[in-house]
Amino acid sequence: NHAFIGLRLGIAINTQAYHSQDETRYVIDEKWDNGFLSIAGTFNYQWEKRYLTRKIALRPYLGFGLGPTLLANSVEVFEVGVGSPEDTFEIPVKYEISFMLRAGLVFRHLHAGIEYNLIPKSHITLGNSDIGDVKNSFLGLFIGFKILN
């Protein structure tokens, strides 16, 4: 009665942080202009005890989730001293499996809370050279709703 299985569809913007291994040789363009799309199966445990008043029932819950995440589809990189910034390499970034921990409050069908999404780092490579890393994990606030009982 207190455990719920669900599906979370998530969209986030500007969640990835790029780190260049050699900033004197390579420049990663659009360092903060990215995002992701994810679908995660979730499991939440909701406490029965009501908080606030009898008319306003806020119930706390804890949960976790697991699922695939589609990261930004490419990263633009250009080599310093070779051509111009318009001569960029399009380096693809792939799907990753993400794990999420979440906590929040439920008010009727509305859910709100905080979640930490643990997504493995992506490595940016050009040929055999490791150019940099993409840090994908993030802490976020969310708001959602329950569709079916």
Side-chain angles (χ1 to χ4, degrees):
N1 241 3
H2 303 291
F4 298 95
I5 296 174
L7 183 66
R8 187 211 60 167
L9 304 173
I11 298 172
I13 299 171
N14 293 335
T15 61
Q16 297 167 317
Y18 293 93
H19 175 260
S20 179
Q21 300 291 359
D22 186 0
E23 292 184 6
T24 60
R25 184 168 179 200
Y26 296 104
V27 175
I28 300 172
D29 196 20
E30 301 180 61
K31 286 189 176 185
W32 300 101
D33 189 21
N34 295 288
F36 79 85
L37 171 68
S38 74
I39 300 171
T42 61
F43 176 83
N44 296 324
Y45 180 82
Q46 180 177 307
W47 278 263
E48 182 60 33
K49 188 171 181 177
R50 295 176 181 223
Y51 294 91
L52 292 183
T53 69
R54 289 180 186 234
K55 292 183 180 182
I56 301 174
L58 289 177
R59 296 187 179 107
Y61 71 92
L62 290 174
F64 64 90
L66 183 70
T69 300
L70 173 61
L71 304 171
N73 59 0
S74 67
V75 176
E76 292 180 357
V77 175
F78 73 91
E79 196 168 358
V80 176
V82 179
S84 66
E86 288 79 30
D87 299 328
T88 60
F89 301 104
E90 290 283 329
I91 300 175
V93 180
K94 59 183 179 188
Y95 285 95
E96 295 286 353
I97 298 295
S98 64
F99 179 75
M100 142 183 72
L101 294 172
R102 58 196 331 217
L105 295 171
V106 177
F107 174 69
R108 296 186 182 160
H109 293 285
L110 185 66
H111 294 242
I114 189 167
E115 64 185 25
Y116 182 73
N117 291 270
L118 180 62
I119 306 169
K121 278 186 188 179
S122 300
H123 297 286
I124 304 169
T125 57
L126 182 59
N128 292 333
S129 300
D130 189 15
I131 295 173
D133 297 323
V134 183
K135 296 175 184 163
N136 299 310
S137 296
F138 68 95
L139 182 67
L141 301 174
F142 70 89
I143 189 164
F145 55 93
K146 184 168 44 169
I147 296 174
L148 301 172
N149 266 342

